Amino acid sequence: MQKFENIDVIAALEAIMHQNTAYYQSDFAYDIKMLQEVARSDQPEDKLLLWLPRPSGTFCFRERDVLLKDTQAYNTWKFCGEQTHDRILAYAVELTGAAR
């Protein structure tokens, strides 16, 4: 996995979102809130995220929540992978610091 130093994660993900999400781009506001919340956490496992830009909105989940059966994150991940025909990208995001 390639590691980047001092990157504006929100700006990078927003650019990807604009390229890959045609509808419900306002979902990204929830992703920003999640990123800001996670950046303040002192728990290392909170810093690992999975982000899904898709044609109809985006999702941002803590990686550990996606792995726990019967959580909203797990169920959404499974639905996106098995039940939709949308082209969905998945990005692993690890926050190592915070600015702003």
Side-chain angles (χ1 to χ4, degrees):
M1 179 182 343
Q2 191 171 10
K3 199 169 191 173
F4 296 95
E5 299 294 328
N6 299 323
I7 188 169
D8 184 339
V9 173
I10 292 173
L13 296 180
E14 185 174 26
I16 293 167
M17 183 267 302
H18 283 298
Q19 292 175 353
N20 296 286
T21 304
Y23 307 100
Y24 306 108
Q25 289 186 358
S26 60
D27 286 355
F28 191 63
Y30 297 105
D31 302 343
I32 292 171
K33 186 176 177 182
M34 168 74 94
L35 290 164
Q36 291 169 337
E37 175 186 314
V38 166
R40 289 188 296 270
S41 174
D42 60 353
Q43 301 299 314
E45 63 271 11
D46 285 345
K47 307 286 185 178
L48 301 172
L49 304 166
L50 294 173
W51 183 67
L52 300 156
R54 56 198 183 91
S56 297
T58 62
F59 290 111
C60 187
F61 300 117
R62 286 180 180 89
E63 181 182 57
R64 70 168 184 245
D65 294 340
V66 171
L67 302 174
L68 296 173
K69 273 191 163 185
D70 296 325
T71 63
Q72 178 186 2
Y74 175 84
N75 292 334
T76 302
W77 184 265
K78 292 282 285 179
F79 175 80
C80 287
E82 297 173 356
Q83 303 297 320
T84 67
H85 299 291
D86 290 343
R87 178 175 172 252
I88 300 171
L89 304 173
Y91 290 84
V93 178
E94 180 180 9
L95 299 179
T96 58
R100 294 191 279 142

